[in-house]
Amino acid sequence: MIQIKSFVFNPFSENTYLLYDETGEAVIIDPGCYDKAEYKQLYDFIENNALKPVRIINTHAHIDHVLGVAAIKAKYNIPFSLHKIDEPLLKAVKTYASNYGFAGFDEPEIDSYFDEGDTVTFGNSSLRLLFVPGHAPGHVAFVNDEQQFVIGGDVLFRQSIGRTDLPGGDFETLIDSIKTKLFTLADGYTVYAGHMQPTTIGYEKKNNPFLK
């Protein structure tokens, strides 16, 4: 059974997720840690629970979701995966990171690219990938059907949706991604978003003002 540990990192209050199961193998999703205290929080949890990170997987490549990728990749010697369409977003981060107060951004190397329909495996567990562009052109989400949850990044929030005014964003594309991909999941699926608290598919169908 997958356990989900969330951390709130960096000034954007970004949710980083650590998923692990009974084998101790773990994947790190959207590592946004930046300062020493944030790295320590993540590393201490991994050590105290005797976990073995095996992969970094990202929903997309905006700055608040990639700040910790390079350091974590080096520490655990693990691969990093992203959708290829978002590679230009990742490469752009170093050009503007200092404007947001993040000096010396270390751009990570991408080890493999995602495609819709891919499966991410760790331990005895798996996540299937959905392509959900709109907030970012190469945005993906990770779904576990057995436990009915989705790690959704910045697509769908509690009574809100992701921004579409950033480079590569498109409002109509985002709405279509939510309606044709996320809203095909059962109402009981929990959505762990890139910011704020979790929600459910059913709650957003009834209450999200952007999607009525």
Side-chain angles (χ1 to χ4, degrees):
M1 182 174 181
I2 298 174
Q3 305 294 322
I4 302 172
K5 171 64 177 176
S6 62
F7 303 86
V8 180
F9 287 147
N10 69 58
F12 293 98
S13 296
E14 181 266 353
N15 292 328
T16 292
Y17 293 100
L18 179 70
L19 275 56
Y20 59 98
D21 68 11
E22 62 277 359
T23 69
E25 288 198 355
V27 292
I28 301 166
I29 304 179
D30 291 355
C33 34
Y34 175 68
D35 62 29
K36 290 181 179 179
E38 291 179 346
Y39 281 112
K40 186 176 187 303
Q41 188 180 350
L42 176 64
Y43 296 159
D44 283 355
F45 184 89
I46 291 170
E47 182 178 346
N48 292 340
N49 290 275
L51 302 180
K52 179 188 177 183
V54 295
R55 193 169 178 184
I56 300 167
I57 56 177
N58 264 56
T59 61
H60 65 296
H62 286 148
I63 185 170
D64 49 328
H65 293 253
V66 300
L67 286 167
V69 173
I72 295 167
K73 189 176 187 294
K75 179 176 177 65
Y76 295 110
N77 190 28
I78 55 177
F80 166 53
S81 301
L82 181 75
H83 198 290
K84 186 170 182 62
I85 297 175
D86 252 29
E87 186 171 13
L89 286 189
L90 178 66
K91 292 189 174 301
V93 172
K94 62 180 177 289
T95 68
Y96 67 81
S98 60
N99 296 339
Y100 288 94
F102 301 112
F105 174 72
D106 188 6
E107 180 183 308
E109 180 182 349
I110 302 170
D111 298 287
S112 63
Y113 298 105
F114 285 132
D115 258 323
E116 183 159 41
D118 284 353
T119 300
V120 174
T121 59
F122 59 100
N124 297 324
S125 304
S126 64
L127 305 168
R128 66 180 176 94
L129 187 142
L130 291 179
F131 181 55
V132 284
H135 172 70
H139 203 300
V140 301
F142 304 104
V143 180
N144 181 271
D145 296 302
E146 183 180 2
Q147 294 174 230
Q148 294 204 332
F149 71 80
V150 53
I151 310 295
D154 291 359
V155 174
L156 181 66
F157 300 119
R158 185 175 175 86
Q159 294 187 288
S160 189
I161 59 172
R163 293 177 60 176
T164 56
D165 59 340
L166 300 172
D170 182 80
F171 179 81
E172 296 299 332
T173 301
L174 180 64
I175 296 299
D176 183 69
S177 291
I178 295 170
K179 289 183 175 179
T180 64
K181 299 291 182 64
L182 294 185
F183 278 7
T184 64
L185 302 173
D187 288 356
Y189 275 65
T190 299
V191 180
Y192 294 94
H195 303 269
M196 302 185 292
Q197 72 270 46
T199 186
T200 67
I201 294 295
Y203 181 87
E204 296 312 313
K205 284 180 179 177
K206 292 179 181 177
N207 298 287
N208 196 303
F210 293 94
L211 297 158
K212 291 203 169 186

